[in-house]
């Protein structure tokens, strides 16, 4: 069955709206503007942060797989919903928060995963105020250990 002119126009309008508002091209696939925060990346981050130990407590009080500070859990910013810091010892909760927080940082930095990881490790304030050129060698090593597999 052929489409009538109204149906064709409706389909065109739908595609046009998707293209204009979301960068979706007529092939239907979104244009890649940010790297994917996939489970393999989160696995590498967790391995670097805690060695995969859900009970790990860092020297500064970081908790669990993603080594999340209680203050970050309560009020993460970057469009990420806060969680009860008491739940950070739950590996499922900690992993999800780690994923959400890194995604929020990546979105904040326009998909720049290097900046997002630097902010995760060194702090967003440091990245914003000092830039990546001033990051400590330990943060450079941290980023490299996660991104350069």
């Amino acid at each position: 069955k052929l489409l009538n002119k109204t149906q064709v126009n409706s389909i065109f309008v739908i595609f046009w709206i998707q293209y204009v508002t979301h960068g979706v091209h007529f092939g239907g696939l979104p244009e890649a503007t940010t790297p994917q925060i996939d489970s393999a990346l989160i696995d590498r981050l967790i391995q670097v942060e805690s060695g995969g130990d859900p009970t790990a407590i860092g020297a500064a009080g970081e908790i669990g797989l993603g080594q999340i500070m209680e203050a970050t859990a309560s009020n993460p910013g970057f469009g990420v919903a806060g969680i009860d810091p008491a739940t950070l010892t739950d590996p499922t909760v900690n992993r999800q928060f780690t994923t959400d927080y890194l995604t929020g940082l990546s979105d904040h930095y326009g998909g720049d995963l290097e900046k997002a990881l630097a902010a995760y490790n060194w702090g967003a304030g440091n990245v914003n105020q000092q830039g990546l050129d001033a990051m400590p060698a330990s943060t450079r090593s941290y980023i490299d250990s996660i991104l350069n597999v």
Side-chain angles (χ1 to χ4, degrees), residues 9 18 22 33 36 70 74-75 81 88 91 97 112 130-131 139 146:
N9 285 340
Q18 291 297 313
H22 302 291
T33 57
Q36 172 123 9
E70 288 184 359
S74 296
N75 187 20
L88 287 172
F97 184 84
D112 187 331
Q130 300 179 50
T139 299
I146 294 170

Side-chain angles (χ1 to χ4, degrees), residues 71-96:
T72 302
S74 296
N75 187 20
F78 308 103
V80 178
I83 61 171
D84 179 355
T87 65
L88 287 172
T89 55
D90 179 325
T92 303
V93 171
N94 194 296
R95 182 183 178 89
Q96 186 60 59

Side-chain angles (χ1 to χ4, degrees), residues 45-54 56 64-67:
L45 182 146
I46 285 171
Q47 192 60 41
V48 170
E49 287 287 348
S50 67
D53 181 359
L65 293 173
Q67 291 292 276

